[in-house]
Amino acid sequence: MAVHPHPPLQNSRPWHRSQKATTADATQAVATTVAARTFAAIRLIVGGVFLWAFFDKAFGWGYATPAAKAWIDGGSPTKGFLSGVAAGPMESTFHAWAGDAWANWLFMLGLLAIGTALMAGVALRFAAVAGTAMMALMWAAEWPPAKHLSDGAPSMSTNPLLDYHLVYAAVLIALAVVYAGRTWGLGRVWERLPFVRRNRWLL
């Protein structure tokens, strides 16, 4: 008598597969939402850093900038920092720029524009490019690769390459890449504007 193998049992409960898929989708949705909110929070924090720097230097709130040196009262937002550069191949260049009107205006408008873009969640590509350029210049001004300053004193550099300026630049780029302005910001509205749709670099 021939013995026929039994056919494989079919899953009598297909809803198990459906339930697993639904659970996986829900988990992914939660993870995506958490990630979006995390990037949005980082965007607001970094935007606040840029805007605080602008207002403190503009009005002399008594933290990094005393009232007597406020930009609005004739102080220079760049003179103190750039004239104090004491290392690196651009030392003399930064000294020459220190306190110049064009340097003051460019620096302050950069802080204001980058901070506003981040807080609003719009033009994050512009913010990333402008912010990275600003951080690169500030990195060059501090020149972490130097072990000693131009007067021979120790530079106290903690890392010859990586410092907080590069961290800020990397964060700005990441925020633009993930469209962080769409959550808790005006990113979605901004993207639908006709002139932005025609000029994608404004995203």
Side-chain angles (χ1 to χ4, degrees):
M1 181 175 66
V3 178
H4 299 285
H6 293 288
L9 293 175
Q10 299 295 322
N11 189 344
S12 60
R13 293 180 290 179
W15 60 84
H16 279 193
R17 290 196 300 270
S18 177
Q19 186 177 26
K20 289 180 180 179
T22 301
T23 301
D25 291 343
T27 301
Q28 180 64 35
V30 170
T32 300
T33 300
V34 170
R37 291 177 179 175
T38 300
F39 277 110
I42 293 171
R43 171 178 59 78
L44 294 172
I45 291 170
V46 177
V49 170
F50 277 87
L51 283 184
W52 178 272
F54 169 81
F55 285 112
D56 183 57
K57 293 178 184 302
F59 301 106
W61 283 351
Y63 288 86
T65 307
K69 295 185 178 180
W71 190 35
I72 196 172
D73 290 328
S76 170
T78 63
K79 187 173 183 178
F81 177 67
L82 293 182
S83 62
V85 173
M90 295 183 65
E91 179 179 350
S92 59
T93 301
F94 287 130
H95 288 173
W97 290 354
D100 282 358
W102 69 267
N104 291 336
W105 277 95
L106 192 61
F107 178 60
M108 293 297 282
L109 289 177
L111 289 176
L112 179 61
I114 295 167
T116 301
L118 289 170
M119 295 299 286
V122 302
L124 294 187
R125 290 183 182 179
F126 158 79
V129 172
T132 298
M134 180 182 290
M135 291 300 108
L137 286 171
M138 295 179 75
W139 183 90
E142 293 194 6
W143 199 248
K147 290 185 178 180
H148 298 89
L149 304 178
S150 54
D151 63 359
S155 68
M156 306 302 291
S157 175
T158 58
N159 190 302
L161 294 176
L162 306 177
D163 74 344
Y164 66 98
H165 296 107
L166 299 185
V167 173
Y168 273 118
V171 169
L172 290 171
I173 293 170
L175 293 175
V177 168
V178 301
Y179 297 94
R182 291 177 174 175
T183 302
W184 298 344
L186 302 175
R188 296 185 187 279
V189 176
W190 177 259
E191 292 172 20
R192 291 196 294 265
L193 295 177
F195 70 92
V196 176
R197 296 173 73 174
R198 291 194 300 268
N199 301 279
R200 304 302 290 174
W201 62 272
L202 290 172
L203 287 175

